[in-house]
Amino acid sequence: THDVVTAVCLIHLRNHRQKIFVETTSVKFRPLDAPTIGRYLANVNPLDKAGAYAIQEEGDLIVETISGSYSNVVGLPVERLRDELDAWL
């Protein structure tokens, strides 16, 4: 299990406002054997991924569960960002 942590800073320069927040999602991997890893690597290039895997590309082969925001694992916690922007306005 590991945590994916994304920090976001919203800034409005004219009004001198800022809002900073952090979203954390726990990702638990399945037990991995050589054939499963081989299938995953045949379909996904880990070298162009920030965390060396892409949950949105064959993630079900390697990820057992997530606790928190799926979109955070993909790259941006969209649900939290939407909530923060709604509160911002």
Side-chain angles (χ1 to χ4, degrees):
T1 302
H2 70 281
D3 290 334
V4 176
V5 180
T6 303
V8 177
C9 180
L10 304 173
I11 298 175
H12 190 294
L13 294 175
R14 284 192 200 129
N15 292 339
H16 305 287
R17 291 177 59 199
Q18 76 173 20
K19 171 67 178 181
I20 299 170
F21 66 89
V22 175
E23 187 73 20
T24 302
T25 305
S26 293
V27 180
K28 181 178 180 184
F29 280 96
R30 298 181 183 283
L32 300 175
D33 56 16
T36 303
I37 294 169
R39 279 195 309 277
Y40 182 77
L41 293 176
N43 293 306
V44 178
N45 178 7
L47 300 179
D48 69 351
K49 311 295 183 275
Y53 72 97
I55 196 168
Q56 73 277 14
E57 296 178 34
E58 308 291 333
D60 57 324
L61 287 173
I62 61 171
V63 174
E64 185 172 305
T65 61
I66 68 165
S67 178
S69 169
Y70 175 84
S71 66
N72 186 43
V73 180
V74 173
L76 181 67
V78 177
E79 305 86 0
R80 175 77 184 271
L81 177 59
R82 181 190 59 236
D83 292 344
E84 296 291 345
L85 287 171
D86 285 346
W88 178 271
L89 303 174

